[in-house]
């Protein structure tokens, strides 16, 4: 079915919507046998398609949104350029995918789902910055996407990203209240035929102890003093905060760009507390988070949202503290090997990784919340470290580095190995629960689509009327 096919390619198609060059075009309908859209829909099309060039025609109209023939062609070409398999991809399937996305976006607007323009523009800033790094300059990005100006490119990206956000949030709303009970999970499992039970690959449970070199107080004071100098230069000498962020911030992803921050956004508490305590134009005192030391400049306050820039400086470690950390983890390993200390107890007492130390160092799979990992899903770095370890064995000292480049050291133990096996209700409950939940969410989406297709103005034109869809897009 088209819907189930779409669930397998959704990620790829959404990614393509970020960058697909859907050139703005004047719309001309060439399907003379088609019933013309309602007057208000035609007006909406005209407004959203200003300055568009002439194309072959409109493939479909979904509520207030249109799908051009060229949109489908470009999506197919984009899949090819991304080296994605197109063996089973047809124009009908791509049209079905685009129609679903437009349906979600249309009803997100109807349901008053809000996507803040400032959030989208902030994301576009990051998009263009990343593309500029890849191609060499903003001008080359504009040329690559065949736009006449950066403003035109930004407007195109704005429309694409806003529609994508609306579609995504509508889908989240549809399934957010869907849950499965233990009885439903058991029923789902029992309905599976024995020869169709899923196969779970080789799995492993692992635990780790992490020791990080301490940061000397002298290094912390250095970055605090430097941030204080930046603040004074901005306030006393009218220096540019943005320029200092670009030149000096250790946060290279957002250096100099404006971040839009809401009170409920997923930022560390210390950062949000400072951001919402400042007035427009004010620069904070240096403050600490788990990432390092910051100062913030508030650009604009918009109700429960603030636009800001920040500078992050990360204090370094010294050779002496690195050597101390090595000696500490080597001592822990020796005591565990000699039987003087259990690995789990050592993790609770000595590990610097707060997320795992209270559970004896055990890592949890972020996909399932379980302690079991399929080996093929492991981070390649971890896989290479444990691939030759037997159950119960512990690694030698491993040197790693965090996102800021600071070194740390760890020991990894293979707690348990589980060979490839067919799904078992008792031992694989969480995985089976996840499959049951996905099936129930898919049913909720199918029901929602059936209802909304019936209630929404939809017109499918030309050759796309000959397609076979899972949903009643043709309203026959």
């Amino acid at each position: 079915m088209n819907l189930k096919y779409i669930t397998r390619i959704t990620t790829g198609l959404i990614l393509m919507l970020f960058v697909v060059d859907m050139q703005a075009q004047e719309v001309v309908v060439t399907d003379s046998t088609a019933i013309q859209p309602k007057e208000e829909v035609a007006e909406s099309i005209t407004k959203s398609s200003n300055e568009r060039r002439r194309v072959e025609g409109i493939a479909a109209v979904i509520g207030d949104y249109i799908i051009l023939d060229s949109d489908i062609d470009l999506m197919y070409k984009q899949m090819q350029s991304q080296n994605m398999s197109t063996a089973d991809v047809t124009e009908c399937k791509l049209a079905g995918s685009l129609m679903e996305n437009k349906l979600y976006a249309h009803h997100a607007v109807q349901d008053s789902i809000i996507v803040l323009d400032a959030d989208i523009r902030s994301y576009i800033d990051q998009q263009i910055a990343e593309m500029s790094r890849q191609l060499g300059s903003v001008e080359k990005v504009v040329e690559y996407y065949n736009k006449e100006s950066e403003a035109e490119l930004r407007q195109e990206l704005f429309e694409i990203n806003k529609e994508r956000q609306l579609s995504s949030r509508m889908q989240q709303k549809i399934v957010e209240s869907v849950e499965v009970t233990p009885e439903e999970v058991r029923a789902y499992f029992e309905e599976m035929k024995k020869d169709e039970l899923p196969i779970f690959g080789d799995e492993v449970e692992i635990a780790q102890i992490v020791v990080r070199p301490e940061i000397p107080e002298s290094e912390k004071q250095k970055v605090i003093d430097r941030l204080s100098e930046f603040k004074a230069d901005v306030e006393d000498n009218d220096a540019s905060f943005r320029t200092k962020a670009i030149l000096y911030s250790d946060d290279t992803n957002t250096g100099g760009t404006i971040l839009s921050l809401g009170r409920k956004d997923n930022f560390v508490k210390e950062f949000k507390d400072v951001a919402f305590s400042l007035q427009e134009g004010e620069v904070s005192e240096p403050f600490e988070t788990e990432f390092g030391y910051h100062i913030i400049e508030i650009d604009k306050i918009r109700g429960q949202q603030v636009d800001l820039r920040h500078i992050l400086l990360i204090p370094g470690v010294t050779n002496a503290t690195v050597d101390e950390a090595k000696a500490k983890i080597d001592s822990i390993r020796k005591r565990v090997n000699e039987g003087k200390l259990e690995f789990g107890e050592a993790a609770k007492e000595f590990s610097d990784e707060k997320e795992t130390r209270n559970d004896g160092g055990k890592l949890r799979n972020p996909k399932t919340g379980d302690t079991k990992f399929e080996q093929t899903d492991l981070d390649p770095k971890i896989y290479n470290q444990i691939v030759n370890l037997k159950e119960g064995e512990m690694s030698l000292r491993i040197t790693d580095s965090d996102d800021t480049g600071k070194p740390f050291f760890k020991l990894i133990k293979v707690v348990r190995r589980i060979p490839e096996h067919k799904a078992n209700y008792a031992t694989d409950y969480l995985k089976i629960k996840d499959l049951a939940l996905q099936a129930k969410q898919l049913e909720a989406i199918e029901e929602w689509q059936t209802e909304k297709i019936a209630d929404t103005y939809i017109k499918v034109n030309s050759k796309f009327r000959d397609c076979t869809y899972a949903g009643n897009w043709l309203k026959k």
Side-chain angles (χ1 to χ4, degrees):
M1 295 174 64
N2 182 54
L3 179 62
K4 291 179 178 165
Y5 170 83
I6 294 307
T7 63
R8 295 199 299 271
I9 66 168
T10 294
T11 301
L13 295 181
I14 285 178
L15 286 173
M16 281 184 276
L17 287 174
F18 280 111
V19 296
V20 64
D21 183 20
M22 300 168 67
Q23 295 185 6
Q25 300 153 51
E26 178 187 358
V27 176
V28 177
V29 179
T30 58
D31 183 0
S32 59
T33 64
I35 300 174
Q36 294 299 309
K38 295 178 180 178
E39 181 178 346
E40 60 268 25
V41 175
E43 182 180 358
S44 172
I45 292 170
T46 302
K47 289 180 180 178
S48 64
S49 306
N50 55 348
E51 297 183 4
R52 295 198 167 212
R53 299 188 186 100
R54 186 174 300 271
V55 294
E56 303 93 29
I58 297 175
V61 178
I62 309 295
D64 293 334
Y65 291 89
I66 63 171
I67 300 170
L68 303 175
D69 292 337
S70 58
D71 295 342
I72 296 167
D73 295 337
L74 286 168
M75 180 173 284
Y76 187 84
K77 291 176 183 177
Q78 187 68 19
M79 290 185 70
Q80 291 178 319
S81 69
Q82 297 281 331
N83 294 320
M84 298 174 64
S85 174
T86 56
D88 297 325
V89 176
T90 65
E91 286 187 328
C92 290
K93 288 178 178 178
L94 293 178
S97 173
L98 285 171
M99 286 192 285
E100 288 185 5
N101 286 332
K102 305 293 185 185
L103 186 70
Y104 292 132
H106 173 75
H107 283 283
V109 174
Q110 303 302 309
D111 290 359
S112 300
I113 291 176
I114 297 174
V115 175
L116 295 175
D117 290 357
D119 289 346
I120 298 174
R121 292 194 176 96
S122 177
Y123 182 77
I124 291 170
D125 287 342
Q126 297 175 44
Q127 277 186 295
I128 291 179
E130 178 59 29
M131 288 188 288
S132 297
R133 278 193 288 269
Q134 292 177 1
L135 297 179
S137 68
V138 173
E139 290 74 19
K140 289 183 178 179
V141 175
V142 172
E143 181 182 356
Y144 179 82
Y145 286 106
N146 197 27
K147 301 302 175 185
E148 294 183 359
S149 65
E150 182 181 347
E152 183 183 353
L153 174 63
R154 285 180 176 274
Q155 182 59 35
E156 190 78 12
L157 289 173
F158 182 87
E159 293 172 4
I160 293 170
N161 282 311
K162 186 161 189 175
E163 183 183 314
R164 180 193 63 82
Q165 280 287 335
L166 288 169
S167 176
S168 175
R169 294 192 186 187
M170 189 69 249
Q171 292 175 66
Q172 292 171 10
K173 183 178 179 180
I174 296 167
V175 301
E176 65 184 0
S177 61
V178 177
E179 297 178 348
V180 287
T181 64
E183 292 77 16
E184 288 174 318
V185 177
R186 178 174 286 279
Y188 175 82
F189 180 75
E190 290 177 347
E191 287 173 5
M192 291 183 183
K193 297 179 182 178
K194 289 186 177 181
D195 59 349
E196 294 180 356
L197 289 173
I199 302 294
F200 298 130
D202 292 337
E203 295 176 310
V204 64
E205 289 184 340
I206 54 179
Q208 67 180 16
I209 298 171
V210 173
V211 174
R212 300 180 185 276
E214 289 189 12
I215 300 172
E217 290 300 321
S218 60
E219 294 297 316
K220 294 179 182 179
Q221 192 59 48
K222 282 181 185 178
V223 300
I224 292 172
D225 291 344
R226 196 166 192 218
L227 289 170
S228 296
E229 291 173 5
F230 292 160
K231 171 181 168 68
D233 198 20
V234 170
E235 293 178 336
D236 300 339
N237 303 317
D238 202 26
S240 168
F241 190 100
R242 177 176 179 272
T243 299
K244 290 187 180 296
I246 293 171
L247 293 176
Y248 304 115
S249 180
D250 288 330
D251 183 359
T252 56
N253 290 326
T254 60
T257 60
I258 289 180
L259 301 177
S260 293
L261 176 64
R263 290 187 181 274
K264 295 183 179 180
D265 287 349
N266 188 27
F267 275 65
V268 290
K269 180 179 182 299
E270 298 87 351
F271 194 95
K272 288 199 292 186
D273 287 348
V274 173
F276 286 99
S277 70
L278 301 172
Q279 301 299 316
E280 282 189 12
E282 189 175 359
V283 179
S284 74
E285 296 291 337
F287 65 96
E288 184 181 11
T289 71
E290 63 189 82
F291 302 104
Y293 289 84
H294 313 251
I295 55 172
I296 288 173
E297 181 186 56
I298 300 300
D299 182 75
K300 190 173 183 180
I301 298 175
R302 299 177 286 106
Q304 299 298 304
Q305 201 87 3
V306 294
D307 295 342
L308 59 86
R309 290 185 174 92
H310 83 118
I311 300 173
L312 167 68
L313 293 184
I314 303 168
V317 297
T318 64
N319 290 336
T321 57
V322 169
D323 290 340
E324 288 172 7
K326 286 181 183 178
K328 180 179 178 180
I329 203 164
D330 288 344
S331 174
I332 293 169
R333 186 176 188 279
K334 181 179 178 183
R335 292 174 64 188
V336 171
N337 276 338
E338 290 175 348
K340 296 178 181 179
L341 187 64
E342 290 290 333
F343 190 96
E345 291 301 317
K348 290 179 182 179
E349 185 174 353
F350 299 113
S351 182
D352 290 328
E353 189 174 73
K354 61 183 180 181
E355 294 84 3
T356 60
R357 65 186 175 205
N358 291 330
D359 197 15
K362 285 186 178 178
L363 275 69
R364 290 198 170 270
N365 190 327
K367 293 181 180 179
T368 64
D370 194 5
T371 57
K372 292 182 288 188
F373 293 81
E374 287 202 30
Q375 290 197 159
T376 54
D377 288 341
L378 281 173
D379 183 291
K381 288 183 180 179
I382 296 178
Y383 176 81
N384 291 334
Q385 291 160 358
I386 63 96
V387 65
N388 295 320
L389 294 179
K390 297 178 181 177
E391 188 172 293
E393 286 187 340
M394 177 176 51
S395 70
L396 298 171
R397 184 215 315 145
I398 297 167
T399 302
D400 206 337
S401 61
D402 61 21
D403 293 339
T404 69
K406 289 200 295 287
F408 66 90
F409 308 99
K410 61 185 177 182
L411 303 171
I412 294 181
K413 178 182 178 180
V414 175
V415 178
R416 185 161 66 118
R417 287 193 177 276
I418 305 153
E420 181 178 277
H421 61 284
K422 279 191 175 184
N424 179 284
Y425 184 78
T427 60
D428 300 310
Y429 176 80
L430 290 177
K431 290 188 180 69
I432 296 165
K433 179 182 177 182
D434 190 49
L435 293 173
L437 178 61
Q438 290 177 27
K440 192 171 181 180
Q441 288 173 336
L442 184 60
E443 290 176 2
I445 287 174
E446 288 175 335
E447 291 174 3
W448 182 90
Q449 282 192 8
T450 298
E451 175 188 341
K452 297 304 180 183
I453 288 173
D455 294 341
T456 305
Y457 176 81
I458 294 171
K459 181 70 184 90
V460 181
N461 291 323
S462 62
K463 61 184 176 183
F464 296 104
R465 296 190 62 81
D466 298 327
C467 295
T468 300
Y469 303 108
N472 187 25
W473 295 104
L474 304 178
K475 297 195 174 186
K476 293 182 177 179

